Amino acid sequence: MPTDTIGRFLAALNPDHREAVTGRPREEQERLAAAWERELASDDELDTLDELSPPAAEAEAARRVMDRER
């Protein structure tokens, strides 16, 4: 299990998004990972989901970040 922010973010992404993000420059990956951490920290809905399933909460936050990138 990755311990750095980018690694954790990449692990939370679905395979298609993961491939797209790994092809981006490191700075872009860092920006997206930071947005993902902010999403996890700021959304009360995700807090509840995190209590039930941390991986599901991380995946949902990653999906939201990538949806905003479109």
Side-chain angles (χ1 to χ4, degrees), residues 8-19 21 58-59 62-63 66:
R8 288 180 45 238
F9 173 61
L10 290 172
L13 290 168
N14 70 45
D16 292 335
H17 284 148
R18 186 177 309 117
E19 186 176 320
V21 170
E58 290 182 352
R63 184 194 63 76
M66 295 308 294

Side-chain angles (χ1 to χ4, degrees), residues 10-67:
L10 290 172
L13 290 168
N14 70 45
D16 292 335
H17 284 148
R18 186 177 309 117
E19 186 176 320
V21 170
T22 56
R24 295 181 183 190
R26 178 76 179 183
E27 297 79 26
E28 182 73 8
Q29 292 179 19
E30 289 170 353
R31 183 185 68 76
L32 291 169
W36 172 72
E37 283 196 322
R38 285 190 302 275
E39 184 74 26
L40 282 170
S42 68
D43 191 304
D44 292 340
E45 234 177 66
L46 291 176
D47 285 344
T48 302
L49 182 58
D50 187 52
E51 290 178 17
L52 300 172
S53 174
E58 290 182 352
E60 175 61 17
R63 184 194 63 76
R64 292 177 185 181
V65 167
M66 295 308 294
D67 283 351

